[in-house]
Amino acid sequence: MGLLFLGTPLQWEEAKKYADHVRSHGITQFLYTWDRLKDRQGDELLWGDEVEYMVVVFDDEEKNAKLSLRQTEILAKLRDIVDDLSCNKEQQGTIPTFHPEYGRYMLESTPGSPYTGSLPDLISVEGNMRYRRTLARKYLKANEIPLSFTSFPRLGTPGVFTEPYFDPADAVSSHSLFLPEEITNPHARFPTLTANIRTRRGSKVAINLPIFFDRNTPRPFIDPAIPRDRFIYPEDSEAKNGAALQDHIYMDAMGFGMGCCCLQLTFQSCNVTEARRMYDALVPVGPILLALTAASPFWRGYISDVDCRWNVIAGSVDDRTEEERGVKPLKDNKFVIPKSRYDSVDLYISEDAINRPEYNDNPLPYDKAIYDRLREHGIDNLLSKHISHLYIRDPLVVFSETIDQDDTTSMDHFENIQSTNWQTVRFKPPPPNSPIGWRVEFRSMEVQITDFENAAFAVFVVLLSRAILSFSLNFYVPISKVDENMRTAQQRNAAREGKFYFRKSVLPTGRVSGSTTPCSSEDGNGNTPKEKKLRNCFPAPPVPEEATPVEEEYQLMTMEEIMIGTKCKSFPGLLGLVDSFLETLDLDKETAAKIGTYLDLIRRRSTGSLVTTATWMRNFVRSHPAYKFDSVVSQEINYDLLVAVDNIERGVRKEPDLLPDTYCGGLHDEGCL
Ligand code: ADP
Ligand code: MG
Ligand code: MG
Ligand code: MG
Ligand code: MG
Ligand code: MG
C-alpha cells in the first residue's frame, strides 16, 4: 500500500455519489501524465521488492502462537530507528522503508532505494532483505517475531489468536463471524474499504475453500466452528442460509485475504513500449510462480485442499453486486463482471505484432465512454481497453478533503481506481513530480520463510525479465489459458502434479538462445555487456513468420518441463533461458556462485528434489504427534509449526526437503546495524 492520506473517508452511500467524478478526473489525470511522459525514453533498470511479514507473539506457557496487533507502535518505533540511521551519511540509500498493511499484525518492507541493474546490486538483494528483517526483529518485544509467512493458519478460529484478544462481536466494518474489528489496520482507509465493499456488494464476502479430507475428517464436513446462531449483525444469517458451503472452509471477511503476506517485485522499463511488452510477458509467468511459491494450505484452523492464497484474496474484496455477478438481471448496474477486482489480468496490452488479437480471448467489459475518450485523445486501442476495463470499478474509498484535485499535478483519482484493481501484474504509470518512469509490478508470488528463498525468487524473476528483453522472448498463450493455469496453480501440490498451458516455442524465429543475441551488441546508450549491467531496453521483436493456428502454439506442460525445458529442443525452459542470458554476461566467480545457489533452489523446487513451502507445511502438520488426521490445525500444532518456521529461518532447524544443506540461516547480528 502506498502513502496513507489522513482525512475523512465517506461511507458507501455518500462515496458512490462521487464515483463518476473520481473516474472522470482520474482519466483526466492519466491523460496529463500520458501527454507528459508517453515519449519519455532511456530510463535505466531500477527495481525493488516488497516483502510482507506477520508479527507473531509466542506464548510458550500456553503453547499458543498469536498475531501481535501492535503494528502502530512497531511502525512508529521503526520510523524513529530509520530516522536515526538516516543521520549516518554512509547508511543513506540502504535504510529500508517499512509500510503499514491491511492487517494490524502486518508489516511490509522495501529497500531504501531501488536496486540498479548492476550485478553487485543483484547479489545484494538477500543481504538487503536480511537487514530489513534484522531491523524489524530487533525492535519488537522479546517474544514477538516478524515471520514472512503467507497466511496465518488459525486466523478466525474460536478462542485466542490475537494479542491482545478481541471478540469478533465488535466487527463493525466487516460484520464477520470470525474476525474482530481490531484485526484491521485502524487507519480510516482500511475499515472504510472493508465496510464499503460489504455495503456495495449487498452482503458479506463469501469465500469457500474445499477442505482436505484426511482419514478421520467427518464426511460430510459441516464446520462446527461457524457460529450459525449468532445474531448481532443482519448478515449473521448468511452462513446458515447458503453462504457457507458443506465440505468447505467458509470465510466471510476482507481480513482473510488482505491479511495474507506476499512477495512483489517492481521493474522500471526504459519506456512505455517496453513496459507494455514486459507486462504481457510476465502475465503467463504469474500462475507458474504462484504454484512454485505456494505457501498457504491452512485456513481458519483447517487443512484445505488448496496451496495458495490467491482465490481467498480475490473473494475477500469481491465488491460486485448480484447484478454484476450475473445472479440477477442488470437493472441498477452497468456491467456483468466476470471477476473480482482482485484477480488475474484480462488483457495483453503490447502493440507488438507478436501479440496476436486471438490471445485476448477473455470477456472484457469496459466503459465505452471512457474508452472513446481515451481513443479521441490519441491513445491506441489496447491501452484504452486496458484502462477502460480497470475503470468499470467504483472507487471504494473517497476522502471528503480530496474530492477536488488539481488534475495537472495529481494522480490520486487515477490511483484510486488503479490501485484497487489488484491483478497478477500491474502496469504502473510514472507518479507525478517524481523521477520514476514506467514500471511493471509482478504480484502473484507467495512469500517464503527465508530471505534466501525470497531473494532467489526475486533474482530469478529479474533475470528472466532481462532474458525476455534480451532474446525477444514470446510467452503469449491465450489469456483464457493463463486463467486456467491460475486455477491449476492453487490446487494442492500443483508444482508436482499440475499441468499448465505454456508456449512450445518461445524464441523468435532464426535466433538460438545463448548464441547471437541483441545483448552482444551495443544498445542505444552505448552500453556494452562488458559493463556487467542488466540492461533495460532492446530492439522490438521481429515480426513473426507465417502464423500457425493459435491452438498449435501451446501445450500442457508440467512445472519441470516449463522450468527445465521439454525434450523437444525448441523450449529450453525458463531456467534454461536464464542460464543462456547469464552466459552473455561474463560473470565473475563469486557472482556466478551466488546466483547459482539461487537458481539451484528454483531448479530443485521445480523438479521436486525440494518441496514447496505448502508441501513442507502439510507434511509437518500431518506428522505432528498431536495431529488427529481430522484436518484440524490445533493451537498446539500451530504453535509448533510457527516455532519451526522461525527456527528454519534462523538456521537452527534443518529441513533438507525444503532447503539446500548450504542454507545456514539469516544472521540477526546486531553488529550489522
Ligand atoms: P506498491 O505498494 O504501490 O506496489 P511500494 O512503494 O510498496 O509500491 O513498492 C515499490 C517497489 O518499487 C519498491 O521495492 C521500490 O524499491 C521499487 N522502486 C522504487 N522506485 C522504483 C523505480 N523507479 N523503478 C522500479 N522500482 C522502483
Ligand atoms: Mg503490500
Ligand atoms: Mg507496497
Ligand atoms: Mg501502493
Ligand atoms: Mg524479538
Ligand atoms: Mg506492491
Side-chain angles (χ1 to χ4, degrees):
M1 305 271 173
L3 280 184
L4 295 175
F5 173 77
L6 280 168
T8 319
L10 303 178
Q11 303 293 303
W12 178 243
E13 286 307 315
E14 271 305 298
K16 74 179 183 191
K17 298 179 190 158
Y18 297 97
D20 282 330
H21 172 92
V22 169
R23 273 190 293 263
S24 144
H25 287 271
I27 295 298
T28 306
Q29 295 175 356
F30 175 76
L31 292 175
Y32 275 112
T33 293
W34 178 257
D35 288 345
R36 249 192 338 261
L37 299 167
K38 67 180 191 311
D39 298 322
R40 180 180 165 127
Q41 296 291 338
D43 285 311
E44 64 166 323
L45 171 63
L46 292 175
W47 67 285
D49 66 83
E50 297 164 71
V51 176
E52 291 172 344
Y53 317 82
M54 46 183 67
V55 179
V56 174
V57 198
F58 289 90
D59 181 336
D60 300 329
E61 261 161 42
E62 294 263 312
K63 284 210 153 218
N64 197 4
K66 299 174 269 186
L67 293 166
S68 164
L69 302 183
R70 292 200 317 116
Q71 182 192 62
T72 312
E73 296 100 291
I74 293 171
L75 281 172
K77 180 94 188 180
L78 284 169
R79 213 163 292 132
D80 290 347
I81 306 305
V82 163
D83 285 348
D84 274 0
L85 290 171
S86 310
C87 299
N88 177 348
K89 268 261 154 50
E90 273 169 27
Q91 292 271 29
Q92 269 165 26
T94 64
I95 307 300
T97 323
F98 291 91
H99 314 258
E101 258 301 341
Y102 181 90
R104 200 185 286 200
Y105 51 84
M106 291 168 80
L107 304 174
E108 179 187 293
S109 80
T110 52
S113 52
Y115 314 114
T116 69
S118 80
L119 293 173
D121 266 20
L122 187 68
I123 59 170
S124 77
V125 173
E126 184 179 351
N128 192 307
M129 288 177 173
R130 283 185 179 185
Y131 179 58
R132 280 135 63 185
R133 186 187 297 266
T134 303
L135 272 181
R137 275 182 89 103
K138 183 166 180 197
Y139 294 100
L140 298 184
K141 291 182 178 169
N143 62 344
E144 282 178 338
I145 301 197
L147 298 180
S148 44
F149 198 69
T150 299
S151 81
F152 187 74
R154 287 181 58 81
L155 184 72
T157 49
V160 183
F161 60 90
T162 60
E163 173 66 43
Y165 170 81
F166 292 98
D167 191 322
D170 75 353
V172 291
S173 302
S174 70
H175 294 187
S176 175
L177 295 171
F178 312 105
L179 300 184
E181 184 69 13
E182 290 79 4
I183 207 77
T184 301
N185 182 331
H187 182 286
R189 173 183 159 82
F190 299 97
T192 307
L193 201 47
T194 310
N196 287 2
I197 286 173
R198 173 175 52 77
T199 325
R200 187 185 188 284
R201 177 182 165 94
S203 63
K204 285 188 294 184
V205 294
I207 304 144
N208 283 281
L209 286 188
I211 188 104
F212 167 76
F213 278 102
D214 216 329
R215 58 174 191 260
N216 297 330
T217 313
R219 271 186 201 263
F221 172 74
I222 298 166
D223 186 355
I226 300 175
R228 289 183 176 75
D229 297 322
R230 189 180 90 165
F231 194 79
I232 299 173
Y233 300 107
E235 296 92 340
D236 282 4
S237 56
E238 287 173 10
K240 68 175 170 218
N241 292 336
L245 302 181
Q246 183 175 301
D247 297 340
H248 287 72
I249 307 163
Y250 166 67
M251 291 169 273
D252 66 346
M254 183 168 174
F256 284 106
M258 284 296 181
C260 293
C261 296
C262 69
L263 170 66
Q264 297 175 336
L265 304 170
T266 297
F267 306 108
Q268 181 165 275
S269 296
C270 69
N271 58 37
V272 65
T273 307
E274 208 84 287
R276 292 168 67 171
R277 292 177 58 195
M278 185 55 68
Y279 178 90
D280 283 8
L282 290 177
V283 166
V285 179
I288 308 306
L289 287 188
L290 175 61
L292 205 54
T293 55
S296 47
F298 309 139
W299 300 90
R300 216 160 53 61
Y302 296 110
I303 307 180
S304 79
D305 214 25
V306 305
D307 274 354
C308 300
R309 76 197 189 289
W310 193 268
N311 281 352
V312 178
I313 317 189
S316 82
V317 290
D318 189 355
D319 70 335
R320 291 172 302 160
T321 64
E322 288 190 313
E323 293 179 22
E324 288 170 336
R325 280 179 277 138
V327 178
K328 277 187 186 165
L330 280 182
K331 193 170 114 276
D332 299 325
N333 293 122
K334 266 164 94 177
F335 310 100
V336 174
I337 308 179
K339 290 180 186 176
S340 165
R341 53 200 296 158
Y342 190 111
D343 217 311
S344 47
V345 167
D346 271 323
L347 187 75
Y348 294 116
I349 59 174
S350 170
E351 288 195 286
D352 282 347
I354 62 168
N355 180 14
R356 296 169 62 175
E358 299 95 305
Y359 300 140
N360 276 325
D361 64 342
N362 264 358
L364 191 87
Y366 63 97
D367 187 309
K368 181 75 172 50
I370 289 177
Y371 174 82
D372 289 343
R373 198 177 149 201
L374 293 162
R375 294 289 282 152
E376 274 155 32
H377 197 87
I379 296 180
D380 58 275
N381 170 47
L382 285 175
L383 191 56
S384 301
K385 281 257 170 71
H386 169 75
I387 292 177
S388 55
H389 174 55
L390 300 183
Y391 268 66
I392 60 176
R393 311 288 173 170
D394 280 341
L396 288 167
V397 182
V398 177
F399 289 99
S400 57
E401 291 86 346
T402 52
I403 288 168
D404 292 314
Q405 299 173 6
D406 178 353
D407 293 336
T408 63
T409 57
S410 176
M411 279 285 264
D412 279 9
H413 283 323
F414 175 78
E415 285 295 337
N416 191 327
I417 308 282
Q418 152 98 343
S419 71
T420 53
N421 272 273
W422 297 276
Q423 300 183 349
T424 36
V425 186
R426 183 178 280 163
F427 173 67
K428 291 175 161 177
N433 308 316
S434 90
I436 299 175
W438 297 92
R439 291 147 307 146
V440 173
E441 183 183 22
F442 186 70
R443 304 166 46 85
S444 67
M445 291 190 287
E446 309 228 314
V447 75
Q448 307 293 291
I449 293 170
T450 69
D451 293 322
F452 167 68
E453 296 159 281
N454 290 319
F457 279 102
V459 165
F460 171 71
V461 178
V462 74
L463 289 173
L464 181 66
S465 75
R466 296 316 101 180
I468 287 165
L469 294 175
S470 183
F471 301 143
S472 297
L473 298 177
N474 178 348
F475 288 170
Y476 285 110
V477 294
I479 210 149
S480 63
K481 297 293 175 213
V482 178
D483 279 359
E484 279 191 47
N485 289 348
M486 281 301 286
R487 288 187 281 276
T488 305
Q490 300 175 63
Q491 286 165 12
R492 175 164 48 86
N493 210 13
R496 290 270 48 73
E497 291 164 21
K499 287 216 167 195
F500 303 87
Y501 293 98
F502 214 83
R503 217 180 147 86
K504 292 190 255 186
S505 175
V506 299
L507 297 167
T509 326
R511 212 176 263 160
V512 182
S513 86
S515 59
T516 6
T517 71
C519 207
S520 57
S521 62
E522 289 191 349
D523 68 10
N525 303 325
N527 294 323
T528 69
K530 292 256 154 23
E531 284 172 51
K532 298 190 184 174
K533 227 175 166 194
L534 305 179
R535 291 175 310 153
N536 213 24
C537 217
F538 289 89
V543 179
E545 299 201 320
E546 215 50 9
T548 37
V550 163
E551 310 71 54
E552 287 171 26
E553 291 180 339
Y554 57 84
Q555 67 185 43
L556 281 169
M557 297 187 200
T558 62
M559 180 63 75
E560 181 164 358
E561 287 169 336
I562 291 172
M563 298 298 287
I564 314 285
T566 50
K567 291 190 187 80
C568 104
K569 285 192 297 289
S570 64
F571 184 62
L574 302 184
L575 278 160
L577 293 165
V578 164
D579 284 341
S580 300
F581 173 70
L582 286 172
E583 281 168 25
T584 66
L585 287 186
D586 177 26
L587 303 178
D588 63 59
K589 256 193 166 158
E590 191 199 340
T591 308
K594 185 115 184 190
I595 293 176
T597 61
Y598 297 145
L599 298 183
D600 222 48
L601 175 82
I602 311 280
R603 188 171 289 117
R604 293 187 61 190
R605 291 265 168 94
S606 308
T607 60
S609 134
L610 292 175
V611 299
T612 62
T613 310
T615 297
W616 175 80
M617 286 166 64
R618 287 177 185 280
N619 294 344
F620 181 96
V621 168
R622 294 192 72 243
S623 58
H624 191 285
Y627 180 61
K628 300 198 182 72
F629 294 89
D630 55 356
S631 315
V632 174
V633 184
S634 66
Q635 176 177 310
E636 179 191 353
I637 297 173
N638 181 56
Y639 171 84
D640 287 337
L641 172 69
L642 294 178
V643 168
V645 164
D646 176 45
N647 286 337
I648 291 171
E649 195 281 320
R650 290 186 296 118
V652 301
R653 180 185 172 114
K654 294 286 176 195
E655 286 292 345
D657 290 344
L658 179 70
L659 287 165
D661 303 335
T662 45
Y663 179 73
C664 58
L667 294 173
H668 302 295
D669 174 8
E670 310 211 334
C672 74
L673 298 180

